Amino acid sequence: MRPATPLPRSVVSARRRRRHTCVLKGGLWLLFLASIGLRIGHYASPYRLDYVNDIEAHMIYIHYVRDHWAAPPVSDAFEFPQEPAYYWLAAPFYNPALDEAENQTGIARVGLVISLAGLGLLFGSLRYLSSWLARYGLLIFMGLTPAFVLRSDGVGTDCLAAFFGIFYFFCLQRLNRNPDKTGRFWWAVTGFMLELFTKLNGVVLVLSLPWLFWRSSRGGVFTKKTARRAGLAGALIVIWLGLFLHRAWVPEEKKFLLSKWAPFCAQVIDGDLFEYALHFDLPNLIAAGQTSIYGSKVPQYDAAVDKVRFSYPTWVFGNMLIGDWDYNVSPRLLGATRCVIIFGTIFPFGFILFTAVALLGRPITREAGFSPLNKTALALVVGMAGLSLYFTLTRPTVCCADYRLQAVTSAWAGWCFCRGLTVFPRGGALRMLAIVFLAGYTVSCLSLYYILHHTPNIPGTFW
């Protein structure tokens, strides 16, 4: 019997690539389903309300809209200034016949659905990314990060702002792949406008409009078609601005009320603001294991916690990963948060690489530099961080630096973090180290959730 003829090397290689692709796709699906399960499990937990912010003020706003079907007047009684889109969406689910706790649970269900829809859009956008490492990193960051999961069913505008931020990210990735389709351009404009009616800091997305017009014209010269689009988009922005200023006008005081804040004594930032804005203190963040607003409940952690909350980069980084709750109620829980922080350092490291390649190109990597869309992503992330820092310095309270206020650009931040890691050559030691850190971050996040749900006496101790 004649021996079988060996398959050509190209055929064997193609089969291996297909199997490898199937395994990688299966891993993404597993992470996606795990992210969904974590959010649903958190919603079903008895201590879900321990992780909400300003729920009473938001519920008052929703109740008013439900009763009057109009945005409330400018008043200290309401969570103001807040754009009305979320409250119009949540108002139909408010039932005056139920007590407040039951209504809070019903409104939280709205936030959960919005969060799951945003996660689905993010998963759909992965197909437009060319790097498997970037796909995994972005899904791990957005799907498993504890702060995002614990706030996924919150009551307030942050969930909808994050959704439209992801929607805009999805639209721009699709437009970048096929700029000829007019529908994709107008979907992006729609996402931009809906973000403006959801969260005021959505104005930072204006930084992406030059790329949007440039790419929709395929990088060509400024044509009449592009001019018409720019004119219409500009008119929509002017209409939004007029409506916003109309709502913010206080006739009795003859001024615009653009923001409201209260300088709580335990949160006021004092000292050298320049040092506050630039000093990054990772050792104390790891030692504290948390970013608490009011300091630690355990005296030996107070010094470290104070150094964390009075350092903008340190507090924002920790707050982005684990929120602003107390975790030192359990040594196991504190150990898990420290692991999340340690392995989470891969994200700012990736952002540093991303920034270097975007600005310098070939001196850092063999690539000529990142595409204009990636540089636009960098502008959005830096612009949002600058806006947050400005707001914090002009209203020096720790709450103003809360990362949830940057929900508009969370997907773009995750993309910058993980795209930067792709500059390492495949099979190299540094690329393998990045993969190890992402794997360690995944395990740390899952361990944190397990401890939260299976350790007695932890639920109810936050806040």
Side-chain angles (χ1 to χ4, degrees):
M1 185 175 181
R2 299 175 60 184
T5 303
L7 294 173
R9 184 174 299 178
S10 59
V11 175
V12 174
S13 178
R15 289 182 176 179
R16 288 177 178 174
R17 284 196 300 270
R18 284 196 296 269
R19 287 196 297 268
H20 184 62
T21 300
C22 288
V23 171
L24 290 174
K25 286 183 177 179
L28 286 178
W29 273 103
L30 186 62
L31 283 172
F32 177 60
L33 295 175
S35 302
I36 292 176
L38 289 173
R39 284 159 172 76
I40 295 176
H42 177 63
Y43 174 79
S45 67
Y47 53 94
R48 171 183 51 78
L49 293 178
D50 291 336
Y51 303 93
V52 296
N53 300 86
D54 305 322
I55 188 170
E56 292 83 5
H58 290 296
M59 291 301 294
I60 291 173
Y61 199 132
I62 294 170
H63 192 179
Y64 184 94
V65 174
R66 173 65 176 79
D67 287 345
H68 300 85
W69 293 111
V74 178
S75 169
D76 288 339
F78 300 104
E79 184 72 11
F80 186 89
Q82 295 282 9
E83 293 302 290
Y86 170 78
Y87 303 100
W88 281 94
L89 181 63
F93 299 92
Y94 188 97
N95 187 351
L98 302 178
D99 60 35
E100 197 65 16
E102 291 174 318
N103 272 309
Q104 288 175 1
T105 300
I107 300 301
R109 192 179 300 117
V110 176
L112 174 65
V113 172
I114 293 172
S115 175
L116 294 179
L119 195 61
L121 275 176
L122 181 81
F123 188 72
S125 69
L126 298 181
R127 61 178 297 193
Y128 301 108
L129 311 183
S130 58
S131 167
W132 283 105
L133 180 59
R135 292 174 183 175
Y136 269 86
L138 179 58
L139 186 57
I140 289 170
F141 174 71
M142 294 294 292
L144 302 183
T145 294
F148 297 162
V149 174
L150 296 178
R151 288 181 172 132
S152 60
D153 53 5
V155 175
T157 58
D158 300 319
C159 60
L160 194 60
F163 171 80
F164 285 129
I166 295 173
F167 179 75
Y168 191 66
F169 175 81
F170 174 74
C171 289
L172 262 60
Q173 293 291 347
R174 292 180 75 236
L175 179 69
N176 187 49
R177 183 64 64 90
N178 192 342
D180 287 332
K181 294 189 176 181
T182 303
R184 295 188 177 186
F185 170 83
W186 288 113
W187 274 116
V189 172
T190 300
F192 170 75
M193 294 306 303
L194 289 173
E195 187 69 85
L196 291 182
F197 281 102
T198 303
K199 199 80 171 175
L200 179 59
N201 55 10
V203 297
V204 77
L205 297 182
V206 168
L207 297 175
S208 65
L209 292 184
W211 179 91
L212 182 62
F213 294 123
W214 172 82
R215 184 57 179 157
S216 62
S217 63
R218 299 189 64 84
V221 296
F222 195 72
T223 63
K224 291 183 179 180
K225 181 179 179 181
T226 305
R228 287 195 299 269
R229 289 179 173 179
L232 182 55
L236 293 174
I237 294 174
V238 170
I239 292 172
W240 166 81
L241 182 61
L243 293 173
F244 170 75
L245 293 177
H246 174 72
R247 286 190 59 238
W249 177 250
V250 184
E252 297 79 8
E253 302 179 20
K254 295 184 178 180
K255 69 176 184 180
F256 293 102
L257 180 60
L258 302 179
S259 64
K260 183 182 73 174
W261 73 292
F264 301 109
C265 60
Q267 305 172 23
V268 172
I269 301 166
D270 54 9
D272 187 350
L273 294 181
F274 183 79
E275 182 180 358
Y276 166 78
L278 299 179
H279 179 62
F280 182 62
D281 196 343
L282 181 61
N284 271 303
L285 177 59
I286 296 173
Q290 63 180 32
T291 56
S292 173
I293 292 177
Y294 296 104
S296 171
K297 295 179 181 178
V298 181
Q300 61 263 36
Y301 293 121
D302 277 339
V305 170
D306 283 344
K307 290 181 179 180
V308 169
R309 64 185 175 138
F310 296 134
S311 164
Y312 177 82
T314 313
W315 202 85
V316 168
F317 170 60
N319 179 264
M320 175 185 71
L321 298 182
I322 56 177
D324 54 12
W325 304 288
D326 293 318
Y327 291 98
N328 54 33
V329 293
S330 164
R332 293 175 62 209
L333 188 61
L334 198 60
T337 59
R338 285 170 174 162
C339 288
V340 170
I341 292 168
I342 291 171
F343 285 108
T345 55
I346 193 64
F347 297 123
F349 180 67
F351 183 72
I352 292 171
L353 290 174
F354 182 90
T355 304
V357 174
L359 298 179
L360 301 177
R362 289 189 183 280
I364 305 299
T365 179
R366 295 179 180 178
E367 300 181 43
F370 287 151
S371 68
L373 178 58
N374 289 299
K375 294 178 180 179
T376 299
L378 178 62
L380 290 174
V381 174
V382 173
M384 181 59 78
L387 182 63
S388 171
L389 180 59
Y390 169 78
F391 190 67
T392 305
L393 295 179
T394 54
R395 294 157 178 80
T397 176
V398 175
C399 283
C400 291
D402 198 319
Y403 190 79
R404 65 189 173 87
L405 302 179
Q406 301 187 39
V408 174
T409 55
S410 291
W412 295 100
W415 170 237
C416 292
F417 296 159
C418 302
R419 180 67 175 90
L421 301 176
T422 63
V423 303
F424 298 132
R426 295 180 180 178
L430 291 178
R431 194 180 185 95
M432 291 302 301
L433 183 62
I435 294 173
V436 168
F437 263 73
L438 287 175
Y441 183 78
T442 301
V443 173
S444 300
C445 291
L446 295 176
S447 300
L448 176 60
Y449 301 130
Y450 179 84
I451 295 171
L452 279 176
H453 286 267
H454 293 85
T455 302
N457 301 323
I458 285 183
T461 57
F462 295 78
W463 297 105

